[in-house]
């Protein structure tokens, strides 16, 4: 008898599923199943991802597009600069917590995004897992609201900060899954597929109205509107792209108009209620943005130092009161070098996506965009530079400049 052969290349593809679990771990922690685990889900997913990622890297041949060079170089220089900027930071606690997230976790997540996004089997597992995670998180949010309790934040209202973070992360998972569902809708060859994916996307859109995450709803709307259009445009179907944009935009506007005009229909839809409670003037973000601009200008050209914003803004060592905008955070804490390197990193990734959108496989471009867009929007209104989801999303975007082949 011959022993069974272990396919290392296939095992490496499992990095896609492990990466999805780690990427959406914050949202999954709000589900009853994940809450019952004896280990922290983030640590468990990381323990599964690292060996699978190593196999993935070793069992593939990798080809890199020349356009990858500038943004990757800028990423490395940004990490180095943020380490140096810690030398003149007034922070102790925030710096000690934030810097390891940036320079230790960030590179691993970036590498995982590059590898998973470039390898077709790993990418399929990642998108398939996301399509399951989105509905699971949506159902858990609905259940938590119906029963008056949540898992991560305890009893609803007992810890507003944890409750808010949970629903922000849940909204991102729902938005990513809805964008993928909309892409599958325009790819479906028949009525059965159209009806299923239309219902899937509409159900997730309805779930996004529940938890109160305004940016999650906006990112879901843009993802559903733009990613199928990008799928059609990348395939050379410009008319289909315009038709989808017009039809989806009109349907979304009509649906929201009906809900906003009917007060009874809005009852319990916390996301819409937050839009009607004062908008941006009721949020602390404008004050944080102004403070980041003021301190960025006052401390030119080097900035406050990594982690130094919250102390300078009068909030003490409270990491949660970061500028809530990555560009402003890079300016305030990293000065002009930090802002320039940030623009080269993330702006270069956006340029790469646009350039490769007419050369890479259309279905690949659309799926990467659906996964990246909600995280990119969150980076401009929430999260700091230590957020692992942003670095993974950056890797996914840059992966469009890579091709993986099995050895």
């Amino acid at each position: 008898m011959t022993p069974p052969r272990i396919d290392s290349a296939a095992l490496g593809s499992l990095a896609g599923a492990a990466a999805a679990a780690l990427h959406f771990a914050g949202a999954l922690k709000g589900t009853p199943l994940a809450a019952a685990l004896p280990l922290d889900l983030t640590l468990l997913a990381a323990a599964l991802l690292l060996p699978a990622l190593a196999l993935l890297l070793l069992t593939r041949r990798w080809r890199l597009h020349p356009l990858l060079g500038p943004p990757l170089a800028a990423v490395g220089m940004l990490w180095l600069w943020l380490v140096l900027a810690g030398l003149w930071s007034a922070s102790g606690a925030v710096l000690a917590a934030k810097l390891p997230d940036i320079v230790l976790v960030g590179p691993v997540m970036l590498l995982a995004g590059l590898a998973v996004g470039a390898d077709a089997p790993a990418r399929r597992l990642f998108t398939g897992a996301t399509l399951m995670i989105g509905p699971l998180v949506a159902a858990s949010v609905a259940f938590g609201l119906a029963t008056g309790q949540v898992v991560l934040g305890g009893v609803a209202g007992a810890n507003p900060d944890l409750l808010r973070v949970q629903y922000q992360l849940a909204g991102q998972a729902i938005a990513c899954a809805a964008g993928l569902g909309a892409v599958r809708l325009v790819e479906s060859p028949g009525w059965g597929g159209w009806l299923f994916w239309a219902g899937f996307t509409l159900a997730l859109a309805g779930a996004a109205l529940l938890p109160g995450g305004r940016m999650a709803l906006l990112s879901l709307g843009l993802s559903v509107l733009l990613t199928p259009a990008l799928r059609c445009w990348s395939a050379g179907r410009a008319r289909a792209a315009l038709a989808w944009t017009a039809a989806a935009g009109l349907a979304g506007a009509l649906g929201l108009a009906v809900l906003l005009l009917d007060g009874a229909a809005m009852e319990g839809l916390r996301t819409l209620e937050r839009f009607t409670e004062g908008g941006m003037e009721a949020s602390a973000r404008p004050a944080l943005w102004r403070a980041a601009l003021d301190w960025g200008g006052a401390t030119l050209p080097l900035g406050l130092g990594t982690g130094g914003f919250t102390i300078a803004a009068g909030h003490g060592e409270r990491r949660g009161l970061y500028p809530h905008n990555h560009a402003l955070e890079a300016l305030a804490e990293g000065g002009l070098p930090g802002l320039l390197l940030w623009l080269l990193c993330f702006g270069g990734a956006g340029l790469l996506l646009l350039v490769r959108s007419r050369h890479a496989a259309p279905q690949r471009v659309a799926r990467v965009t659906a996964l990246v867009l909600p995280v990119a929007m969150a980076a401009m209104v929430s999260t700091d530079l230590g957020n692992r989801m942003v670095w993974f999303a950056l890797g996914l975007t840059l992966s469009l400049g890579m091709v993986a082949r099995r050895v």
Side-chain angles (χ1 to χ4, degrees), residues 113-137:
L114 285 166
V116 169
D119 182 65
R123 189 172 61 251
R124 283 195 295 269
L125 283 176
F126 187 93
T127 55
T130 303
L131 286 170
M132 291 188 290
I133 289 171
L136 174 62
V137 170

Side-chain angles (χ1 to χ4, degrees), residues 282-294:
S283 172
R285 288 184 176 88
L288 293 170
W289 293 339
R290 286 192 295 269
L293 279 173
D294 292 342

Side-chain angles (χ1 to χ4, degrees), residues 218-231:
L218 290 174
S219 61
L220 183 147
L222 280 178
S223 187
V224 169
L225 189 69
L226 297 180
T227 50
L230 181 62
R231 170 68 174 85

Side-chain angles (χ1 to χ4, degrees), residues 82 91-106 161 164-165 288 306-326 329 333 382-391:
L82 292 175
S91 172
V94 173
L95 176 64
K98 181 178 178 180
L99 202 54
D101 288 343
I102 296 174
V103 300
L104 296 180
V105 178
D161 289 338
R164 183 179 65 251
V165 169
L288 293 170
T306 306
F309 171 76
T310 58
I311 293 177
H315 305 303
E317 296 273 22
R318 294 184 61 187
R319 184 177 175 180
L321 292 174
Y322 47 82
H324 283 69
N325 180 286
H326 272 208
E329 182 181 354
E333 298 188 353
S382 187
T383 80
D384 64 9
L385 286 169
N387 185 277
R388 67 174 184 269
M389 296 182 72
V390 175
W391 295 111

